[in-house]
Amino acid sequence: MRKNAVAVVGAAETTELGVIPNMSQIQLHADAALNAIADAGLKLSDIDGIATAVETPQQIAHYLGITPTWVDGTSVGGCSFMLHVRHAAAAIEAGLCKTVLITHAESGKSMIGKLPRSTAPDSLNGQFESPFGVYGPPSMFPIPVLRYMKTYGITHEQIAMVAVVQREWAAKNPRATMKAPITVEDVLNSRMIAYPFRILQCCLVTDGGGALILTSADRAKDFPRKPVYILGTGESVETPMVSQMETFNSSRAFKVAGPLAFKEAGIAHKDVDHLMIYDAFAHLRSMASAISASCRTRKPASSSPTATPAPAASCRSTPTAAD
């Protein structure tokens, strides 16, 4: 795809975030969608493309009364919506649609109108991992993180420090659910979930969502908001089973998607000064930044029990999370 050919012209979250027991999951999708459409200065009738996960595109289209000419229901976990941006940009460039709505929302805390997470007994996971206790992210992630810790000499205190720093960043957001500062001791004394992860190192489960509006660059200048142009994208997947990862120390999908995005954008690592990483669990920030090499991480000092891999002074790292 050509860089800067497509832009984000609207973005919004649900009106409320955190615990929303009075709204179902599909209502949260709709709330975020309507807010994003208003942010872009559009009407529902202006939308001709829909991308979503958790709920299906046809559910969202029907609920909102949209008749799309292009839909995408790609679902690969918490990063599905980043893939949707790439797919939407390609669809717009190909002339399949003009204005795309991307939505994500979950009633993760209240569980209103949401099916419980389940694994089919005859699926790959159901046959080959679930019988041995691997069920869902909290019990999947500990396997690679233990290998990562052993290989690179990362301590429990250093992994805990990541959660502490993430909380500091969260406190700067007025809409954050968790704002109270925490310490390494707080993290290590919190309830054990699946070794080595304690509850303060696991993805926060909340109610809420967000939405984006994308359109072509030649139309973007006519919108009320300053457009955010898509410079480059990349995507890949590896395996639904943690036991079948190519290596527990890193992600093959990261290694494929990262170079694709840099190549498409026509930039090098030295050009990047702001890094946002999908950091659902405490180890992902360190692993992802090391794999992407967008920021050169410092090796933790063995003399400091609370040292943690940190971005170089010239690179700002802003945590983002999704489940």
Side-chain angles (χ1 to χ4, degrees):
M1 290 184 294
R2 295 177 299 135
K3 66 180 181 181
N4 294 332
V6 174
V8 178
V9 293
E13 296 171 330
T14 47
T15 306
E16 296 180 60
L17 290 171
V19 182
I20 315 172
N22 60 319
M23 294 184 75
S24 68
Q25 185 162 276
I26 198 167
Q27 286 179 304
L28 295 173
H29 275 267
D31 184 36
L34 292 173
N35 288 344
I37 290 169
D39 186 63
L42 295 173
K43 306 183 296 295
L44 280 168
S45 57
D46 296 317
I47 304 298
D48 60 357
I50 292 178
T52 193
V54 184
E55 298 289 340
T56 65
Q58 59 264 45
Q59 288 172 315
I60 300 300
H62 171 75
Y63 196 82
L64 292 174
I66 295 171
T67 303
T69 60
W70 174 86
V71 298
D72 182 15
T74 301
S75 181
V76 294
C79 66
S80 300
F81 316 95
M82 288 182 268
L83 272 66
H84 292 163
V85 170
R86 187 177 201 239
H87 298 174
I92 291 168
E93 272 216 86
L96 302 179
C97 53
K98 293 181 178 179
T99 310
V100 174
L101 165 68
I102 300 174
T103 72
H104 168 53
E106 286 192 57
S107 181
K109 184 71 172 179
S110 300
M111 297 294 289
I112 307 299
K114 176 185 177 181
L115 292 175
R117 188 188 294 268
S118 62
T119 299
D122 56 354
S123 66
L124 292 174
N125 303 74
Q127 294 179 77
F128 303 114
E129 288 194 342
S130 294
F132 304 98
V134 179
Y135 187 83
S139 57
M140 292 175 67
F141 278 129
I143 299 172
V145 80
L146 286 170
R147 178 73 264 176
Y148 180 75
M149 292 173 71
K150 181 176 178 62
T151 299
Y152 296 106
I154 307 298
T155 68
H156 291 278
E157 288 79 8
Q158 289 161 353
I159 294 290
M161 178 58 80
V162 175
V164 173
V165 173
Q166 288 173 325
R167 182 65 67 88
E168 290 178 7
W169 278 100
K172 298 177 184 294
N173 186 336
R175 304 202 78 199
T177 298
M178 298 294 189
K179 296 183 181 136
I182 55 175
T183 65
V184 169
E185 290 72 24
D186 292 333
V187 176
L188 295 179
N189 289 328
S190 63
R191 178 162 56 94
M192 179 67 73
I193 301 299
Y195 185 84
F197 282 143
R198 296 177 180 274
I199 196 166
L200 289 179
Q201 295 171 303
C202 295
C203 183
L204 181 65
V205 177
T206 56
D207 302 333
L212 299 174
I213 305 294
L214 276 67
T215 194
S216 59
D218 60 342
R219 298 181 65 223
K221 61 182 182 295
D222 298 326
F223 283 76
R225 299 290 188 186
K226 183 178 179 179
V228 176
Y229 295 94
I230 299 171
L231 193 61
T233 62
E235 68 179 279
S236 187
V237 294
E238 186 172 351
T239 171
M241 295 188 291
V242 68
S243 63
Q244 301 305 304
M245 289 177 65
E246 186 174 73
T247 170
F248 287 148
N249 288 334
S250 65
S251 163
R252 190 179 70 195
F254 271 4
K255 291 179 178 179
V256 172
L260 286 174
F262 275 96
K263 181 179 179 181
E264 185 176 298
I267 63 172
H269 293 118
K270 62 181 176 57
D271 300 313
V272 177
D273 66 354
H274 184 73
L275 178 65
M276 301 182 73
I277 295 171
Y278 173 33
D279 61 354
F281 286 72
H283 70 296
L284 290 174
R285 197 214 69 153
S286 297
M287 288 183 71
S289 60
I291 294 166
S292 69
S294 295
C295 295
R296 296 186 181 277
T297 54
R298 298 195 298 267
K299 183 176 177 60
S302 58
S303 60
S304 175
T306 58
T308 185
S314 61
C315 183
R316 305 185 304 278
S317 176
T318 304
T320 61
D323 181 24

